[in-house]
Amino acid sequence: MDHFGLLGLPRQYAIDRDALERAYLERAQAAHPDRFVGASSAEQRSAMERSASLNEGYRVLRDPVRRAEYLCRLAGIDVDSSEPEGGAPAMGQAFLMEMIERREAVEDARREGPSALDELRDGVEGELDDALDRAVSALQQGDSRRAAEALVERRYLQRLLDELDDEVER
Amino acid sequence: MANEDITWDDPGALFQIEEPNAGPRGPARHPGRGIGIDLGTTHSLVAIAPHGAAPRELLDEQGRALLPSVVSYLEDAVEVGHGAAARRVEEPARVISSAKRFMGRGASDIDFAHPYRLHVEAESSVLRFDVGVDAGFEAGRSGSSRRVTPMEVSAEILRVLAARAEAELHEPVAGAVITVPAYFDDAQRQATKDAARIAGLEVYRLLAEPTAAALAYGLDRSVDGGGQGLFAIYDLGGGTFDISILRLRDGVFQVLATGGDSALGGDDFDRALAQHLLEVAGAPPSGQHDARQREEALVAARAAKEALTEAETVTVDLPRSGLVGHRLGRVELEALLEPIARRTVGPCRQALRDAGVRPSELRGVVLVGGSTRVPLVRRLVEATFKQPPLSDIDPDKVVAYGAAIQADILSGSAREGVTLLDVVPLSLGLETMGGIVEKIIPRNATIPIGARQVFTNYSEKQTAMVIHVVQGERELAADCRSLARFELKGLPRLPPSMARIEVSFQLDADALLTVSARELMTGIKQTVEVKPTYGLSDAEVDALVMESLDHAEEDYDARNLAEARVELGRVVLAVRTALHEVGHLGELLPPQERTAIEEALARAEQAMGPQGPQVHKAINAAREGLEKVSEPFARRRMERALQSGMSGKSLAEIESALADEERLAERRAGHEPEPLA
């Protein structure tokens, strides 16, 4: 059963946060291994496995990015995989060139100082949001291929942002 | 996801493959017989809250609740608590304190000062204290020096606390909830569980200390806020610092984020002050202070720190170092402690960030641990969380209270409780090519949780692979904690990258790791027992259990004796019944045989009498003798039963007829026997 089914929610991007919380807490409570103290080892094992599935489902569904990536996976595109078939879509030459240039921009900003880094950071954050928005609208139109592309793009940007944060902390 | 980037090391020895579903099912429910133990770095205590009662700590004969987590090993006599602590200055190398800081750790982790000589055995990485070595004894078990693991030291403490609880309950303890710092990694948790096993204590659950404190405060039942809200638990104990952000909603306590430092605590305050005092006293002629002088300074530092919670100045004496009447003020103390206390602020901010919570959203901040009595620490907490912290419950006891409440729930008492959803404090990862860590379970993931990873072979000749599991946030495996290396064997011989081995990692509700592996081509599943790199193997724990339980051997003998008696009694009864019923029929029982059987019966009666060790062997010998001489008689009776009208019957019918005969025999046991047919 997929994470949506496990938590009794419709399989779609738009999610009622409150319904998710309630569904998760109710199920997590019932399945928790603490309720199976003294039970047979088979029952204890199944409680542990069910709890683990619920925890994983909740972790994925409550996070907007992970939820979008998961919907792509359900549609047959795994952005965590590098397999040519069913794996993350390959990014175009132009995009990769652009990412290299942006890396260089980080180097320049570092030489310029903290305010330049901050400015760059704000820009990347905006693009991150934009990439997720594009993925979501693609998902809503049923175009998981385009959604996966936007999500992979978002991953590149996320890595760039993490590097910027590391620079700022330094 | 295929992952060819795994490191191929020498096959490690740290694995074993077990049958799925094997293993004990853990402690049973016995309402009211659960206990809560706070196994602390400096102090430990036990509390109970049977059948829904309010939690209360259990006292020793002198009326003290806190048991110093100190064990002395003198002249082969082991002493725990206050008595042991009193010997610390005289015998620093024979008195082990703060053993918790050594639990589940390797030699390279011990980067703090301590008075012990540590020993690491070649084949395992488990640390042992060389007790009494500085007094010039040879290491080892001979004489009055010995080597003990931190788990054995903790087991001594647990044993004393469990005995205290049994005396109070007048019943055996069914199970314990033992608290651990939320920041404890897998190896440290496993070590805690091993200590309980060595002490003969069943563990219901390892509970994070902050979660226990939240339970004790009854935050789930507080009226304002309607049982909802966000809380921070700031826990500064003797040797560890934990910060947790918890959310309460719909009867569930959910840990949102946890952080801390497993090697930071009040002990560091004491050491800093002791160091300062020794500097004031000046270096002795030898150039260095000896172990007794350092221990004296530590004891004095601890006392001064506690006194300065209330007083503005105290007088300190270090007779061994020639320091007399030294005046120490609170301002001076705080200047020494400030840099240490400040190290707690970073983890607090990180935990708030991880939880996505701003200080103003918190409904309460709870203080845990004796070190939160230090006024400087309280000021720092208030500044960090922008509100005065809660401290109505004694910070030394609050954790044990919470553990007792949870133990009562898990023992099966009808008690309204909340469900506790804990998290794994550190990310779990695998070492890949180049020593890079690939994270498979992120930190702060709610437990239990699992992850799967598919591995493949890189050549047709490869039949095994080694997997290195680490815990921590750093990029390189070398900078993380090594949890275990294990080997997957018996890979099918397939062309490169064709084998598919799916490895499942499972963290249970105690955040302890188990691993299973499945070869996807054949579907063969194996459970791989992962033992921490710095832990004891199951066999080692078993050996310690046997060795350390004073009465284990006697108990074992007593059980053997009881079982042997029951067995012999059963055989004697069966033979006597048969003699009564058909013993007079010559074709079934020739007279000499009857004599031999009667002699064997007489020997059996004699064997039943004596008490003592090894007696069960004589009883078993008597039973075997009786079975042997009566065996032809039994066989003839069986043949007769089969011949009498049962030829041509199915085996099931024969068996059922024999069962009838058995039931008849049972009925006859209470009546006058009557001959068959």
Side-chain angles (χ1 to χ4, degrees):
Chain A
M1 196 187 290
D2 69 38
H3 295 331
F4 292 98
L6 197 62
L7 287 156
L9 298 167
R11 193 204 270 200
Q12 63 187 37
Y13 181 80
I15 205 165
D16 176 349
R17 272 304 292 259
D18 203 55
L20 169 66
E21 294 287 333
R22 272 184 282 114
Y24 165 69
L25 292 177
E26 187 193 325
R27 286 164 173 76
Q29 221 169 342
H32 197 275
D34 278 355
R35 300 201 168 237
F36 296 86
V37 170
S40 72
S41 48
E43 280 176 287
Q44 291 190 354
R45 181 178 296 263
S46 95
M48 183 169 83
E49 280 166 6
R50 187 169 161 76
S51 293
S53 309
L54 285 164
N55 288 334
E56 175 63 11
Y58 173 66
R59 191 180 77 84
V60 169
L61 296 193
R62 77 178 152 172
D63 182 286
V65 176
R66 277 196 278 264
R67 186 163 73 240
E69 289 176 353
Y70 182 64
L71 280 164
C72 286
R73 182 132 71 87
L74 291 179
I77 306 172
D78 183 357
V79 295
D80 282 318
S81 164
S82 53
E83 303 274 322
E85 202 64 24
M91 300 310 283
Q93 197 72 20
F95 177 80
L96 295 174
M97 289 304 291
E98 194 194 320
M99 288 313 293
I100 292 168
E101 279 165 28
R102 311 218 27 192
R103 284 270 147 82
E104 286 162 5
V106 176
E107 288 294 308
D108 294 342
R110 182 168 55 180
R111 276 190 289 274
E112 275 177 56
S115 65
L117 279 172
D118 279 347
E119 199 180 312
L120 204 57
R121 196 188 176 287
D122 289 347
V124 176
E125 222 163 24
E127 288 174 68
L128 268 177
D129 291 344
D130 176 60
L132 180 60
D133 287 347
R134 278 187 282 127
V136 170
S137 67
L139 280 172
Q140 276 157 354
Q141 288 158 22
D143 189 345
S144 45
R145 176 95 210 152
R146 206 153 51 79
E149 278 165 11
L151 288 167
V152 171
E153 206 174 295
R154 209 202 142 277
R155 284 196 167 190
Y156 278 94
L157 291 163
Q158 181 70 57
R159 216 164 302 148
L160 193 65
L161 186 76
D162 291 345
E163 277 168 33
L164 277 163
D165 281 345
D166 286 348
E167 286 299 332
V168 171
E169 268 177 35
R170 227 177 277 164
Chain B
M1 181 178 79
N3 188 337
E4 291 92 341
D5 308 336
I6 198 81
T7 310
W8 313 101
D9 286 4
D10 268 342
L14 288 159
F15 86 104
Q16 59 193 89
I17 290 171
E18 289 190 348
E19 286 294 305
N21 292 319
R25 63 181 196 146
R29 284 189 194 265
H30 287 288
R33 281 163 54 187
I35 64 172
I37 292 181
D38 175 1
L39 183 62
T41 309
T42 46
H43 293 102
S44 299
L45 75 158
V46 56
I48 57 170
H51 306 292
R56 62 189 168 93
E57 68 272 30
L58 302 181
L59 311 176
D60 66 7
E61 279 164 7
Q62 282 76 45
R64 299 169 298 203
L66 296 188
L67 177 73
S69 301
V70 182
V71 179
S72 66
Y73 294 87
L74 289 133
E75 307 302 323
D76 286 336
V78 177
E79 203 175 348
V80 180
H82 294 278
R87 299 179 193 273
R88 201 151 37 186
V89 176
E90 292 305 317
E91 297 271 11
R94 296 181 159 274
V95 179
I96 310 292
S97 50
S98 298
K100 187 174 175 179
R101 299 183 81 168
F102 298 84
M103 297 264 280
R105 316 243 77 180
S108 60
D109 301 314
I110 309 302
D111 50 3
F112 48 87
H114 62 83
Y116 313 114
R117 193 152 109 187
L118 300 175
H119 177 85
V120 183
E121 243 147 70
E123 64 272 28
S124 76
S125 313
V126 178
L127 287 178
R128 286 176 163 79
F129 299 108
D130 265 343
V131 180
V133 166
D134 90 328
F137 290 99
E138 281 291 301
R141 289 231 166 228
S142 60
S144 58
S145 75
R146 57 193 292 196
R147 285 188 183 136
V148 291
T149 62
M151 287 69 95
E152 288 167 272
V153 177
S154 294
E156 297 291 352
I157 297 163
L158 290 173
R159 210 172 280 141
V160 169
L161 294 172
R164 210 184 266 185
E166 279 185 6
E168 184 76 19
L169 294 169
H170 303 296
E171 283 182 307
V173 169
V177 170
I178 302 178
T179 58
V180 290
Y183 211 53
F184 255 24
D185 65 26
D186 178 272
Q188 292 166 303
R189 285 165 199 251
Q190 188 64 58
T192 306
K193 234 178 163 174
D194 288 345
R197 229 174 106 200
I198 294 166
L201 198 58
E202 293 274 14
V203 177
Y204 279 137
R205 181 72 66 231
L206 298 178
L207 184 60
E209 288 165 7
T211 317
L215 267 185
Y217 263 93
L219 299 175
D220 50 310
R221 281 169 286 115
S222 64
V223 184
D224 63 317
Q228 303 244 3
L230 293 159
F231 301 90
I233 318 287
Y234 180 100
D235 179 356
L236 188 60
T240 55
F241 168 64
D242 269 4
I243 177 69
S244 295
I245 310 295
L246 271 65
R247 184 181 70 163
L248 178 68
R249 184 186 159 149
D250 298 347
V252 177
F253 251 131
Q254 197 180 356
V255 180
L256 296 181
T258 191
D261 188 334
S262 58
L264 171 65
D267 289 357
D268 296 295
F269 291 167
D270 299 341
R271 269 189 292 274
L273 180 55
Q275 187 56 38
H276 168 76
L277 292 173
L278 288 172
E279 277 164 24
V280 172
S286 66
Q288 276 211 321
H289 297 278
D290 67 27
R292 287 185 183 82
Q293 287 172 321
R294 287 198 298 272
E295 197 54 46
E296 180 191 62
L298 264 181
V299 172
R302 200 168 297 131
K305 177 190 75 179
E306 283 166 16
L308 286 171
T309 301
E310 301 288 333
E312 290 298 320
T313 60
V314 289
T315 306
V316 182
D317 296 312
L318 299 182
R320 285 180 193 272
S321 302
L323 186 72
V324 182
H326 176 72
R327 304 283 293 168
L328 182 73
R330 192 192 283 174
V331 178
E332 205 179 345
L333 173 76
E334 292 191 344
L336 285 167
L337 305 192
E338 165 113 39
I340 303 167
R342 215 156 255 299
R343 280 164 57 196
T344 66
V345 174
C348 289
R349 299 220 169 106
Q350 180 66 44
L352 284 168
R353 257 202 305 279
D354 285 350
V357 171
R358 285 188 305 277
S360 60
E361 293 177 277
L362 294 172
R363 245 188 66 206
V365 180
V366 171
L367 292 184
V368 185
S371 305
T372 60
R373 287 207 183 84
V374 175
L376 168 79
V377 171
R378 294 199 174 191
R379 291 204 303 276
L380 211 57
V381 172
E382 185 165 348
T384 306
F385 293 102
K386 321 240 184 296
Q387 58 188 294
L390 299 168
S391 57
D392 346 334
I393 304 182
D394 185 338
D396 278 327
K397 296 177 183 161
V398 63
V399 165
Y401 287 172
I405 292 170
Q406 189 64 8
D408 189 41
I409 294 168
L410 297 182
S411 80
S413 285
R415 174 180 204 127
E416 206 176 309
V418 287
T419 302
L420 303 175
L421 298 180
D422 235 323
V423 299
V424 55
L426 300 162
S427 301
L428 203 70
L430 302 177
E431 180 175 344
T432 62
M433 196 67 99
I436 305 286
V437 177
E438 182 175 338
K439 282 182 188 165
I440 51 168
I441 296 176
R443 80 160 184 274
N444 288 326
T446 305
I447 48 174
I449 195 150
R452 284 201 187 91
Q453 195 88 318
V454 176
F455 298 94
T456 186
N457 58 337
Y458 74 136
S459 95
E460 199 158 342
K461 292 201 181 82
Q462 185 188 5
T463 56
M465 63 173 68
V466 170
I467 294 174
H468 185 201
V469 187
V470 298
Q471 202 167 14
E473 309 313 313
R474 305 282 296 277
E475 295 282 315
L476 293 177
D479 295 328
C480 292
R481 297 270 305 147
S482 170
L483 284 188
R485 258 174 232 275
F486 61 88
E487 190 188 15
L488 290 174
K489 279 185 180 171
L491 305 194
R493 289 183 182 277
L494 290 168
S497 304
M498 286 301 286
R500 284 281 181 276
I501 299 97
E502 182 188 73
V503 184
S504 302
F505 301 85
Q506 180 88 47
L507 286 171
D508 68 13
D510 291 328
L512 294 177
L513 175 70
T514 52
V515 178
S516 62
R518 193 160 55 120
E519 206 290 301
L520 295 178
M521 308 288 272
T522 58
I524 292 169
K525 190 166 179 173
Q526 297 171 322
T527 296
V528 187
E529 182 87 2
V530 178
K531 273 291 155 189
T533 304
Y534 300 109
L536 296 167
S537 71
D538 268 351
E540 283 173 303
V541 176
D542 284 342
L544 287 170
V545 170
M546 288 311 290
E547 186 179 294
S548 62
L549 282 178
D550 294 340
H551 303 294
E553 205 155 314
E554 286 115 84
D555 288 353
Y556 188 65
D557 279 337
R559 202 180 66 225
N560 279 337
L561 185 59
E563 282 171 4
R565 285 212 175 106
V566 169
E567 274 299 289
L568 179 58
R570 194 181 54 76
V571 176
V572 167
L573 182 68
V575 173
R576 279 197 192 289
T577 307
L579 282 180
H580 262 296
E581 289 181 345
V582 293
H584 60 285
L585 299 176
E587 77 270 23
L588 283 180
L589 188 59
Q592 321 90 291
E593 228 181 279
R594 183 173 182 129
T595 315
I597 289 176
E598 276 168 354
E599 277 169 13
L601 279 170
R603 277 196 297 277
E605 296 291 344
Q606 277 175 353
M608 281 290 206
Q611 290 285 348
Q614 306 303 316
V615 168
H616 66 272
K617 288 189 179 161
I619 297 177
N620 286 338
R623 191 197 72 228
E624 282 157 22
L626 177 59
E627 281 173 341
K628 194 157 182 257
V629 296
S630 62
E631 198 268 329
F633 176 40
R635 201 180 54 235
R636 271 180 239 117
R637 276 183 293 139
M638 181 82 74
E639 281 162 4
R640 194 184 69 128
L642 289 173
Q643 282 157 9
S644 60
M646 284 204 211
S647 52
K649 306 268 175 168
S650 75
L651 187 63
E653 283 165 319
I654 294 170
E655 274 168 355
S656 135
L658 288 174
D660 280 341
E661 195 186 12
E662 229 170 283
R663 272 196 292 281
L664 189 65
E666 262 175 34
R667 272 209 306 283
R668 281 195 190 110
H671 299 281
E672 199 53 32
E674 54 187 37
L676 267 176

